[in-house]
Amino acid sequence: MTATSPSTKKSYDQTAWQRGYESQPCEIAYEVTDIDGQIPQELEGTLFRNGPGLLDIGGFPIKHPFDGDGMVCAMTFKAGKAYFQNRFVRTEGFVTEQKAEKPLYRGVFGTEKPGGLLNNMFDLRLKNIANTNVIYWGDKLLALWEAAEPHRLDPGTLETKGIDYLKGILKSGDAFSAHPRIDPACIWDNGDRCLVNFAIKPGLNTTLVIYEISPSGELRRYKEHKVDGFAFIHDFIITPNYVIFFQATVSFNPLPYAFGLKGAGECVNFQADKPTRMVVIPRDPANNNVQTLEAEAGFVFHHANAFEKDNKIIVDSVCYQSIPQVQADVDYKNVDFDQLDPGQLWRFELDLERQKVTRELLDTRCCEFPVVHPDYVGRDYRYAYIGATHSQTGNAPLQALWKLDVKTGESQLYSFAPDGFAGEPIFVPNSCGEAEDDGWVLLMTYDAARHGSDVGIFDARNIEQGAIATVHIKQHIPYGLHGSWTPKTFVSF
Ligand code: FE2
């Protein structure tokens, strides 16, 4: 695959893109030998990644990929070699549905059980599908889904050990979001790392719950804060002193959900003409001075980073003018990308003194899944690594790896068009390096030309040259969501 120059012609073929959404029922574990280039000897650790592995249940198609059963992949690099395995999270729903060979639960994003309306109405059970992220923290590998508890996996075999209550931090039925942030040097914990995560307790008013957890898995701090109205919040962002939530104005009409006509996610309506509330909560346990600022912001799924500067908080986020609404009558595979607003990286400046927010578009390119160097989470930073479209304007599937210098606006891009499709990059620092971009960017891509997936290893300083090594997995992995890196290795085969 080579970089191609942007043009007005479509950079992708929709049928080729659709094949990346075929189910992958096969679980494999092997040393990968089909490798282009050289894996750096210094790159040692494990890339974990989660996403929907099945797009059908016993031949019944699911309505939206977000309803797909979580399948975790692990790509381990050790002594210049690569080891791959993938395994489904054995959630209660996955196990019972695979046995029954049909959907037994309704999906949040519209998947229905067979049997029509009568078999779906008033069934409000949630299926914890464990499909959104996977992290290694507190000596546990945890598969995350934002509306329910984590599942613990064996990091060596990916075998499911069961629901995990995080040493009693969670109770049965508690949510734990799929977007934890790791503070690299927590000022409240003598500079130790600290995992900060949130949960949403829904209701007429919404409660935002904030957990701060030590590297050994102990609860360090806990806060709750009530906000008015319904909140559809997928991600948040931290600085040394604050956690920040963007609460877009959305309405939720539960009746079509209750009556079996729509999934819960299809009943959320974004109100583009209403402001976004930016809720700034101090992390200091003794400070409960929560500030709420308002701004025109569109809808944000993912934030790139945030930092404090003077009495301001800078937040960089991928923002849509209107939410890519889950449409009940459109097959997700036939989505018309040209009709969707692009997600673009914006910078918001929250002036806490004046209670004002200003915003600036950092670049017009459509992008998603931004990440930064882990030591710069919550700190003033320079580089964001993002999945991006091949073309500079408009919406399209992600096909490129994009590095943006948020200080200068300069960027580097490597495109996998026309046959390659990208997801979330992961930045791995070079432990011997000092520069912010001294490290590697790992990116899983789907290559429609061979109906298989690859993991590319990029030198973060030089994205444009393409991957320095590409590991070809012998099967395809459906488009995924989020993942993480740990310098530990656990290969047991
Ligand atoms: Fe996400």
Side-chain angles (χ1 to χ4, degrees):
M1 285 172 284
T2 55
T4 50
S5 60
S7 71
T8 52
K9 193 170 157 264
K10 272 193 178 165
S11 61
Y12 62 98
D13 172 78
Q14 188 119 356
T15 312
W17 169 76
Q18 287 171 347
R19 293 201 68 201
Y21 273 130
E22 288 181 13
S23 290
Q24 179 50 271
C26 298
E27 298 177 314
I28 55 175
Y30 74 114
E31 182 189 338
V32 187
T33 52
D34 185 2
I35 299 166
D36 291 331
Q38 292 280 324
I39 297 169
Q41 291 284 329
E42 316 84 57
L43 178 63
E44 185 163 312
T46 309
L47 169 69
F48 290 110
R49 191 178 162 281
N50 201 350
L54 290 181
L55 287 306
D56 72 281
I57 298 164
F60 293 90
I62 59 171
K63 185 76 183 290
H64 192 280
F66 292 170
D67 281 343
D69 290 297
M71 183 181 81
V72 171
C73 297
M75 178 68 86
T76 302
F77 298 108
K78 194 171 188 178
K81 294 186 170 181
Y83 305 85
F84 175 81
Q85 59 183 320
N86 68 302
R87 201 157 184 176
F88 283 91
V89 185
R90 263 59 177 182
T91 63
E92 188 186 341
F94 175 85
V95 171
T96 54
E97 288 182 332
Q98 289 305 300
K99 208 169 165 186
E101 298 181 347
K102 63 179 183 183
L104 300 174
Y105 294 80
R106 298 173 64 195
V108 170
F109 291 92
T111 300
E112 293 172 1
K113 299 182 288 183
L117 202 59
L118 282 177
N119 201 31
N120 283 278
M121 66 197 304
F122 305 125
D123 181 355
L124 307 184
R125 295 171 305 151
L126 268 187
K127 177 186 170 192
N128 180 348
I129 49 177
N131 73 354
T132 314
N133 202 349
V134 54
I135 55 162
Y136 189 79
W137 189 260
D139 296 323
K140 290 175 179 174
L141 184 64
L142 301 166
L144 306 179
W145 184 62
E146 65 192 21
E149 312 92 332
H151 281 76
R152 186 164 68 88
L153 313 177
D154 180 311
T157 63
L158 302 182
E159 181 192 345
T160 303
K161 295 295 188 185
I163 284 179
D164 196 276
Y165 295 98
L166 307 180
K167 295 188 176 178
I169 294 172
L170 302 180
K171 298 185 299 294
S172 178
D174 278 352
F176 193 70
S177 116
H179 273 287
R181 299 280 175 180
I182 295 172
D183 183 340
C186 178
I187 56 175
W188 315 102
D189 297 336
N190 302 314
D192 281 353
R193 295 200 311 150
C194 178
L195 182 139
V196 187
N197 201 11
F198 72 98
I200 301 285
K201 281 191 194 170
L204 287 178
N205 292 318
T206 303
T207 304
L208 307 175
V209 180
I210 300 151
Y211 302 98
E212 300 214 15
I213 301 173
S214 75
S216 59
E218 311 296 334
L219 185 65
R220 286 279 181 252
R221 285 164 293 285
Y222 177 91
K223 276 198 174 186
E224 287 190 2
H225 177 70
K226 269 195 172 33
V227 293
D228 291 337
F230 181 79
F232 179 43
I233 298 174
H234 174 69
D235 192 10
F236 78 143
I237 196 75
I238 63 169
T239 68
N241 287 289
Y242 300 101
V243 294
I244 302 115
F245 294 88
F246 281 16
Q247 185 192 2
T249 306
V250 294
S251 62
F252 179 67
N253 175 8
L255 291 180
Y257 170 54
F259 284 99
L261 297 166
K262 286 183 174 181
E266 294 172 309
C267 300
V268 176
N269 283 301
F270 173 58
Q271 295 174 290
D273 56 333
K274 302 239 170 87
T276 289
R277 278 176 280 180
M278 294 161 178
V279 184
V280 180
I281 302 176
R283 291 175 61 191
D284 179 352
N287 182 354
N288 287 315
N289 180 27
V290 176
Q291 300 181 67
T292 305
L293 286 68
E294 287 195 351
E296 187 191 335
F299 189 84
V300 170
F301 277 111
H302 297 121
H303 302 285
N305 204 8
F307 57 93
E308 299 165 23
K309 192 178 174 189
D310 307 325
N311 205 11
K312 294 174 180 161
I313 301 173
I314 314 298
V315 183
D316 294 342
S317 314
V318 177
C319 193
Y320 299 81
Q321 284 308 300
S322 65
I323 186 173
Q325 204 87 29
V326 178
Q327 291 175 304
D329 52 349
V330 178
D331 182 340
Y332 68 91
K333 286 185 178 175
N334 293 324
V335 61
D336 183 353
F337 285 94
D338 294 336
Q339 299 300 313
L340 297 178
D341 284 328
Q344 295 165 314
L345 197 63
W346 287 78
R347 170 156 289 189
F348 298 91
E349 198 172 278
L350 284 59
D351 186 330
L352 299 182
E353 225 164 71
R354 294 187 185 151
Q355 297 281 297
K356 288 236 175 309
V357 180
T358 52
R359 64 174 188 165
E360 173 197 359
L361 180 64
L362 294 182
D363 197 290
T364 59
R365 188 177 294 275
C366 179
C367 61
E368 252 305 351
F369 302 127
V371 298
V372 301
H373 186 307
D375 289 350
Y376 290 78
V377 170
R379 276 74 181 163
D380 195 0
Y381 76 113
R382 186 161 179 180
Y383 300 114
Y385 307 92
I386 319 174
T389 51
H390 173 83
S391 300
Q392 178 68 41
T393 56
N395 200 324
L398 304 178
Q399 291 191 284
L401 173 59
W402 187 38
K403 174 189 180 186
L404 180 65
D405 182 336
V406 296
K407 297 244 184 253
T408 66
E410 286 171 17
S411 67
Q412 286 189 32
L413 183 99
Y414 183 82
S415 174
F416 294 85
D419 295 323
F421 298 92
E424 178 191 62
I426 299 287
F427 180 86
V428 180
N430 182 344
S431 55
C432 306
E434 285 183 4
E436 188 185 323
D437 60 352
D438 196 344
W440 301 277
V441 180
L442 308 181
L443 180 72
M444 184 176 276
T445 53
Y446 168 67
D447 180 3
R450 72 173 186 92
H451 191 44
S453 294
D454 301 322
V455 173
I457 303 166
F458 288 76
D459 179 341
R461 291 164 301 187
N462 189 348
I463 297 295
E464 276 170 346
Q465 70 175 347
I468 53 175
T470 301
V471 181
H472 302 289
I473 302 164
K474 63 183 178 187
Q475 63 187 19
H476 84 283
I477 305 298
Y479 301 121
L481 293 168
H482 300 287
S484 58
W485 170 262
T486 171
K488 290 176 184 279
T489 60
F490 310 94
V491 174
S492 57
F493 53 89

